[in-house]
């Protein structure tokens, strides 16, 4: 299926939902599966249909370095358990936009560059808004019920590793070092996530994203 067609079908599914609060869309998948690209494209499609979109990522809700690296910078378990501030993510974003929320939300809690918590920039949503949020571990059991629509981006580990290593080669100094980090930390953590939470079975749609130009629905 052509990529633009797939994005349009997903947008139609989301717009068919009926809620009395902003629709919360979560996009999950292993690291470098293509979650962020899909989320950006979906947000653009919805905006082209005159919908108000809140666009953010769980990566704006990281824990500070002292917490996220306490098990070591290469630790898969450390990435899986300590990278993100789930309580802030829930209390400052997902719950306020839900059925019992007051619609006052913020889209970030930590500045990664400075490793400092940001001054709260609290915004007020309207009930017709749509939240698009992406992240590797979004469908952990304590988070999964806080979305109104769940998308899982399914990509083979080898393809995702190559894409990710190419993207991060400057960060780690070389393609080889980036690839090693994916193997040891990011994708080892992703395998724990898949084993423990089986996120693909909790999704409303699963997308095979091996072919970036022609992704397709798995279910």
């Amino acid at each position: 299926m052509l990529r633009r067609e797939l994005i349009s079908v997903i947008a139609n599914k989301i717009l068919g939902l009926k809620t009395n609060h902003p629709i919360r869309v979560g996009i999950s998948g292993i690291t470098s599966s293509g979650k962020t690209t899909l989320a950006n494209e979906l947000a653009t499609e919805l905006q082209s249909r005159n919908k108000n979109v809140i666009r953010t990522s769980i990566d704006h809700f990281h824990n500070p370095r002292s917490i996220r690296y306490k098990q070591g910078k290469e630790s898969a378990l450390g990435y899986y358990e300590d990278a993100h501030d789930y309580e802030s993510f829930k209390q400052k974003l997902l719950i306020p936009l839900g059925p019992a929320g007051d619609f006052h939300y913020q889209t970030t809690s930590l500045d990664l560059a400075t490793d400092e918590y940001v001054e709260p920039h609290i915004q007020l949503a309207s009930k017709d808004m749509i939240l698009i949020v992406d992240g590797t571990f979004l469908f952990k059991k304590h988070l999964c019920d806080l979305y109104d629509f769940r998308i899982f981006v399914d990509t083979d580990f080898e393809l995702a590793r190559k894409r990710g290593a190419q993207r991060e080669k400057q960060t780690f100094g070389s393609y080889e070092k980036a690839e090693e980090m994916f193997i040891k930390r990011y994708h080892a953590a992703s395998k724990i996530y898949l084993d423990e939470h089986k996120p693909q079975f909790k999704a409303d749609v699963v997308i095979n994203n091996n072919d970036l130009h022609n992704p397709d629905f798995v279910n």
Side-chain angles (χ1 to χ4, degrees):
M1 177 180 289
L2 291 176
R3 194 168 185 90
R4 64 177 179 273
E5 294 176 2
L6 180 136
I7 296 297
S8 180
V9 170
I10 296 173
N12 289 339
K13 289 178 180 290
I14 292 168
L15 294 176
L17 298 175
K18 304 300 180 186
T19 67
N20 62 356
H21 59 85
I23 297 171
R24 300 162 298 174
V25 179
I27 301 178
S28 185
I30 67 173
T31 308
S32 290
S33 59
K35 303 178 298 298
T36 301
T37 299
L38 180 73
N40 289 337
E41 291 171 333
L42 181 56
T44 298
E45 173 68 19
L46 290 166
Q47 288 166 337
S48 75
R49 302 190 192 191
N50 298 315
K51 301 301 177 182
N52 292 318
V53 175
I54 302 165
R55 175 73 183 97
T56 191
S57 169
I58 197 173
D59 287 338
H60 297 304
F61 292 86
H62 267 100
N63 280 314
R65 295 187 191 103
S66 60
I67 296 175
R68 68 178 186 268
Y69 292 143
K70 67 181 181 181
Q71 298 189 61
K73 288 189 175 182
E74 296 185 359
S75 170
L77 195 60
Y79 182 58
Y80 178 67
E81 294 179 340
D82 304 326
H84 299 106
D85 183 353
Y86 294 114
E87 195 60 26
S88 288
F89 184 58
K90 290 191 293 184
Q91 297 298 332
K92 296 177 180 179
L93 181 65
L94 296 182
I95 291 175
L97 297 179
D102 63 5
F103 294 8
H104 289 83
Y105 71 96
Q106 61 186 85
T107 58
T108 185
S109 67
L110 185 90
D111 185 325
L112 269 180
T114 64
D115 198 40
E116 294 180 352
Y117 290 108
V118 301
E119 288 291 329
H121 177 54
I122 299 172
Q123 303 176 70
L124 178 62
S126 56
K127 66 180 182 180
D128 61 343
M129 284 182 164
I130 301 172
L131 169 69
I132 306 291
V133 58
D134 68 279
T136 298
F137 307 131
L138 287 194
F139 302 162
K140 285 185 174 183
K141 293 172 184 176
H142 65 286
L143 294 174
C144 200
D145 291 339
L146 297 177
Y147 309 99
D148 305 295
F149 195 81
R150 290 164 290 272
I151 301 167
F152 186 81
V153 182
D154 187 18
T155 303
D156 289 348
F157 274 98
E158 182 179 1
L159 286 173
R161 185 181 74 245
K162 289 178 179 178
R163 293 174 191 169
Q166 182 65 33
R167 183 188 69 199
E168 300 295 340
K169 63 182 181 181
Q170 288 187 329
T171 301
F172 293 105
S174 69
Y175 176 92
E176 290 74 21
K177 288 182 180 178
E179 188 174 36
E180 182 182 6
M181 184 62 75
F182 267 83
I183 293 170
K184 287 183 176 180
R185 182 169 168 87
Y186 302 125
H187 280 174
S190 294
K191 289 176 181 178
I192 298 172
Y193 173 55
L194 296 183
D195 289 342
E196 287 195 358
H197 296 277
K198 297 178 173 48
Q200 64 272 39
F201 298 112
K202 299 175 182 178
D204 296 285
V205 296
V206 177
I207 297 165
N208 184 304
N209 201 42
N210 286 340
D211 185 339
L212 295 175
H213 299 291
N214 291 283
D216 211 344
F217 293 106
V218 176
N219 65 352

